Amino acid sequence: MVFALNSTSGIDTNKPVLRNLPVAKLYEHALQYEKGTYLSSAGAIITSSGKKTGRSPNDKRIVEEKSTSGDIWWGPVNIPLEDRVFSINHERAVDYLNTRERLYVFDGFAGWDPKYRIKVRVVCART
């Protein structure tokens, strides 16, 4: 299921919602709106993410539910999350997105093989 941005999503769409921008536009927006963002001499984007740099592989949570619980490799990387806790985090994320001036949406796929890949939608407040 792809998350819809409409009146039932809770996300305020009365602001710019920029969907599937080309890379050049994302560069322009990063340079224009993201403090501390620059281009390297090779043309790559450089930015500082503050104190929290890098990725957090141990922060991955998956809602544990009956229909898929046996298909997940549970452990230090895939940590179970209760549906109730997911709902709380979802509400906090929507509240945060509603405080931002503009939103970016990327529609793509998770997985390379068309037989197994799934549609994904990423909604974020930064390029």
Side-chain angles (χ1 to χ4, degrees):
M1 180 178 107
V2 174
F3 183 74
L5 287 179
N6 56 33
S7 60
T8 61
S9 71
I11 295 178
D12 175 15
T13 56
N14 292 320
K15 63 178 91 190
V17 177
L18 305 147
R19 298 172 188 267
N20 301 312
L21 292 180
V23 173
K25 269 292 184 205
L26 291 170
Y27 267 49
E28 286 178 26
H29 280 241
L31 293 167
Q32 182 177 359
Y33 299 117
E34 302 294 334
K35 181 180 171 186
T37 300
Y38 310 94
L39 284 179
S40 75
S41 60
I45 281 275
I46 301 171
T47 191
S48 172
S49 57
K51 289 182 186 179
K52 298 181 180 183
T53 60
R55 57 187 204 98
S56 302
N58 294 331
D59 288 344
K60 184 174 166 190
R61 304 292 190 272
I62 300 173
V63 174
E64 187 172 16
E65 53 147 353
K66 203 182 304 185
S67 69
T68 59
S69 185
D71 298 326
I72 307 295
W73 180 27
W74 299 108
V77 174
N78 297 320
I79 301 168
L81 181 71
E82 295 176 31
D83 190 46
R84 173 187 64 80
V85 176
F86 171 81
S87 295
I88 292 167
N89 283 307
H90 181 269
E91 184 177 333
R92 290 180 68 199
V94 168
D95 289 347
Y96 171 78
L97 291 172
N98 285 336
T99 67
R100 306 293 90 189
E101 291 182 29
R102 72 192 61 75
L103 299 177
Y104 296 90
V105 176
F106 168 76
D107 294 311
F109 296 97
W112 172 84
D113 189 332
K115 183 176 176 183
Y116 299 105
R117 69 183 180 190
I118 59 172
K119 292 180 181 179
V120 294
R121 173 168 284 161
V122 178
V123 180
C124 56
R126 299 178 67 189
T127 56

